[in-house]
Amino acid sequence: MLTISGLGKHFGGLAVLEDVSFEVPAGGIFGLIGPNGAGKTTVFNLVTGLLKPTTGTVSFEGRSLAGLQPHQITRLGIARTFQNIRIFKEMTLLQNVMVGLHGALGYGPLALLLNQGSFRRAEAEARERALELLSWVKLQDRASMLADNLSYGDQRKLEFARALATGPRLLLLDEPVAGMNPAEKDALMEEIRNIAGRGFGVFLIEHDMRFVMGLCERIAVLNFGRVIAEGSPEEVRNDPGVIEAYLGREDGGAP
Amino acid sequence: MSILRHTLLWTAALLAGAAGGAADIKIGLAEALTGGAAQYGVPIRNGFQLAADEINAKGGIQGSKILLVIEDEQGKKEEVINVFKKLIFQDKVLMIFGPTLSNSMFAAGPVANAAKVVAFGTSNTANGITDIGPYIFRNSVMESDVLPVTVATAVKHYKIKKVAVIYGNDDAFTKSGYDVFKKVLADQKIPVTATETYVKGDVDFKAQLTKIKATDPDAIVCSALAEEAANIMLQARSLGIKAPFIGGNGFNSPKLFEISKQAGDGTFVGSPWSNTNPDPANVHFVGAYKQKFGSEPNQFAAQAYDALHIAAAALKSIKLTGRLEADRQALRDALPKVSINGATGPFKFRPAAPKDGKPGGYDADQKPFIYILQQGKFNLYTGK
Amino acid sequence: MFTQQLLNALTLGSVYALFALGFTLVFGVLAVINLSHGAVFMVGSYAALTLVTRLHLPLGIALPAAMALSGCLGMAIDVLILKPLRARNAPHLIPMIATIGVAIMLSSAAQGIFGAEILRFPEGTIPAGEFTLGEVHVRALELSIVGISFGLMAVLFLAIRRTQLGRALRAIAESPRSASLLGINVEGLFHATSFVAAALGGVAGVLIGLNFNAITPLMGQPILHKGIAVIILGGMGDIRGALLAGLFLGFAEVMSKAYLSSQMGDAVAFGLLFLILLVRPSGLFGRVLERKA
Amino acid sequence: MEWLANFWATYSTLVYSVGVFALMALSIWLTLACGLLSLANAAFMCIGAYVSALLSLHAGWPFGATLAAAGAAPALVALVIGMPTLRLSGVYLAMATLAFGEVVRIVVLNLEVTGGPEGLNGIPQSTTGWHILAILAVVVYGLLRLQRSRVGRAFEAIREDEVAASLMGINVARHKLFAFVLGAVIAGLAGGLNAHYTFFISPREYGFENAVDILTMVVLGGIGGLAGPMLGAAIITLLPELLRSLHEFRGIVNGLILVLVVLFLPKGIWDPRRLRALFGLGPGRDPGC
């Protein structure tokens, strides 16, 4: 589904990523793990068009993403969330999700100005859809609340719903459980499984090994900007390179 | 301080009105009393207050006191329109003096003209002011009446072959002065070696003056306000430029030599007014102004002072009926016939040429005096 | 002629740099575009004038006194207005607008007290030394303006580079939050910065009032615009940049008047500014300094 | 009735000014709503005023046509300068647009056709209260519709977080340009209207101070909705009239009011959430947090 080949990124003289290649298969949950500073978020930024690669290519469903703007990539069917949640805090939950439906609303300026049926229908449908997405993450009761007033965990869920609103076929999750307690992590894991179960491809970044092992079907491991292993959770867990990378670091995830 | 004075004036006028019995004659005064143009507006108001006090002290006009309704128009066009409308429709004044800037008159003049109320400018020198309509008057002398005489006199005196020009190009007053200079210099076939500009707020003119110096002119023609002109002179001298200056209307202020001291010596200025004019009317004005306000008057104050005397003369020639519209019209019809001898010398009106078939207002018809600056003083030029 | 223009440019440029110094300092440390800086500059000028004319103090006392007074004014603005805005984390536009209000108040107050007329220092306030070097005329006043400007800038520059205080300020400029975590008294340094910046503005006001013989309630406006241009060119918050850009603007202005036309001089300057911003948002001389919130 | 006629004769220009500056405030509000701090709107007003005045004076165009041109000309300029400029963010954009405004003012000051510093006078008085009311109504209606659509949501999203907005499939550059150009159209219309009731225009009406004045209106009124900017415009326009009796000291009061509002009413005077909370209606503050 998403093919990354020979990807490299240099900031000034510093190589953050070097010759990274792997493939995210269609459907299911794919994990990219690695210690902090391994370059995981940079991969996401390159895929979503926020950064331009120094070398290599990214293609989605056979189509190269080179030279595309972030909004164009989103409209091709890739959505993402952020490690440090970036919801629109001054907007209500409903509005947040409806922003995600931006590309799906096709009415023209005239319909908008004259408040024509096509405009009203489209907006009403979008509202329905947004409420439905909120109900997926069990936030529908608080649709008219300001997003800023949500708890941390709920803000993450809102960000999921908002990302889903863009109609993705692949969902990129950047450390979805960062800063959560074990109970919240479990709940969120369930949420992600649900989303994958609805047919969305999920590609997540994580450094919490336990979480990834329990969730992902395939995993790639990134260390110092290079892929050092790829395979099933079982294969990755037993890879000596991976063990070394994680044992050598203190932040190597909870046991 | 001035707010206190303002209140006192009002109170005095009200008391006088109450005691005298006869209705006051309300005259509007719209001047820029705050903001950048306040440096002209404030002396103008002072001139009017002085004249009003004098007229009222002598028993007013047929027993009625003159009551000045003073409004601050801030030198902003919306504000000046608001003030004019307030004076015309709310305060129901007989006529309006002001506004301070030519630009403001272009905005507010049409309002007064349409309401058939006289708008009388004392400081508007731009061309086309009186084209607005038959209710527009001014006693400020246009540059085009003064500058040809000034330039010709200076050219003869110094045997000038070529001049350099410097002027403020973002100010309507100095720019229109420059336009007249340009035409006069062309008419009199005097080559210009360099034309330099500055903008309002500039305090450093050395770059332009250094350039002028390199072209070695016989004189520097300068359309600037007195304060800028004085600084230009000082900086010119400090750069070693010896050429004399020829100035426009903006030079007519004691500020010029207060600041420039000897640096301005040899400057030629044409003006309807000078504080050294020995005419008794002027001597009286200068003395009374100094006594009342504790500072030297300038040309703007003098013209304001004369303007109220012009209006008073017109008022004395008519009988006020108490019906506002008729009185306003009568005043308008009486004004063109007035001629007085004031602080600015003999004065009468001259009808502006009709433009596009529409009748115009009235300009000042005054002969300018030519002055030469010597030892930091304006002296009447006698040809020696 | 060229040497003379060079001197003209140096005087003008160092005045711009001196004014912009305080302006850019406040932006660098407080992240506020302080549009009352022009009004503080004006207050400095009036303060020195009053001390000289009313109390008959010599300039040697009036200048530092005016400097201290403007400094206090700057600090008062920070304590009374900017501090509460910081406390509630107002977006950067808000303090800028508050400082506009301050500027209006100050210039109106100056007009109410001193009148709209142009005032000037009495003759003899400064020795009127003047000499000629070949083609070039030099006034002692101009030399002392260049001298004072460069002196103050050097002191400030060294203070920021070499002292503990300067290191603290640079830490704040990077990120106030981490600076306060490092135990730096951020609020205290904000006040101090405001004091120093306003004092510099006040000195600039006195010097310009002396050199150009014109003190008015609105004298801060034109130089404020130039100051904005200087800190953009120099890179916002960059002290070395403000110095270079101030001199650069002085040179550009004088030279364009000298060798191009004085008509469009300012249009050229601002047009250039516009283009520079498009090409190099961090200014001509500035280094990119991302502020981490 | 006579009282009313008299009142209107005295204050009609003031009312016109409130309308025109409400338009100006809305034009800046529109760019602010999109997270852009642009100080170019006074320059756009200037272009609109001069284009329409010149067409009225020299080409004899009918008023409607000159107004259309007053909207179109600044829009074209905004389109051209907007594309490169809008990449800048925050303070840098403000400074770039400020520099652009100065360039416009100085060019107008030095052209022959614009009359230089003397400006243009004798502009026919074509603007009536109805013109202003109609255009204001159309603009308010249009902006209200916009606010309730995907475009309005996109603006708000861009203002809050540009990166997140772009990842919602929003073409950030195009939306910004749209806000900028539409703001220019509104400012140009305001300029055209203004020129045709004050008889006279000159470059000094469109300088930095004026740009700042208009910005102040919006901040004072509040940027939470359309009512705020219009309220701010009304207050700033009327305040000098109301404070007229203070004479020389009204500037001080004017500045003080500005400072106090900024200090004590962070969201401006018109803050729907606070007003609702004040009157105990609707979802003011959420009790949960």
Side-chain angles (χ1 to χ4, degrees), chain A residues 125-171:
Chain A
E125 280 165 17
R127 172 180 291 266
E128 287 287 301
R129 173 75 180 147
L131 283 172
E132 187 192 346
L133 287 167
L134 281 173
S135 75
W136 288 8
V137 292
K138 302 173 192 68
L139 287 172
Q140 72 276 27
D141 299 339
R142 284 177 272 178
S144 61
M145 190 169 138
L146 274 194
D148 200 22
N149 295 339
L150 285 179
S151 71
Y152 188 75
D154 285 344
Q155 291 194 356
R156 274 235 181 275
K157 291 201 220 157
L158 174 62
E159 209 186 13
F160 281 2
R162 192 184 66 174
L164 291 174
T166 64
R169 287 184 295 287
L170 180 67
L171 186 61

Side-chain angles (χ1 to χ4, degrees), chain C residues 154-167 169-170 238-240 287 289:
Chain C
V155 168
L156 187 70
F157 196 70
L158 284 178
I160 287 190
R161 286 282 134 199
R162 295 285 150 80
T163 65
Q164 195 60 40
L165 189 77
R167 271 189 284 280
L169 281 181
R170 277 183 289 149
D238 186 327
I239 286 171
R240 193 197 47 160
R287 290 145 296 171
L289 195 137

Side-chain angles (χ1 to χ4, degrees), chain D residues 131-193:
Chain D
H131 288 123
I132 297 176
L133 195 65
I135 289 184
L136 190 60
V138 168
V139 167
V140 169
Y141 175 79
L143 292 180
L144 271 178
R145 300 292 318 149
L146 211 60
Q147 225 188 348
R148 299 204 177 138
S149 74
R150 66 183 195 134
V151 183
R153 281 191 300 269
F155 282 174
E156 210 177 331
I158 292 170
R159 190 181 71 212
E160 283 206 40
D161 188 333
E162 227 171 87
V163 171
S166 72
L167 289 170
M168 293 295 108
I170 294 167
N171 188 339
V172 173
R174 208 155 76 192
H175 276 84
K176 281 183 171 180
L177 191 62
F178 177 65
F180 192 60
V181 170
L182 195 58
V185 171
I186 299 172
L189 286 173
L193 288 168

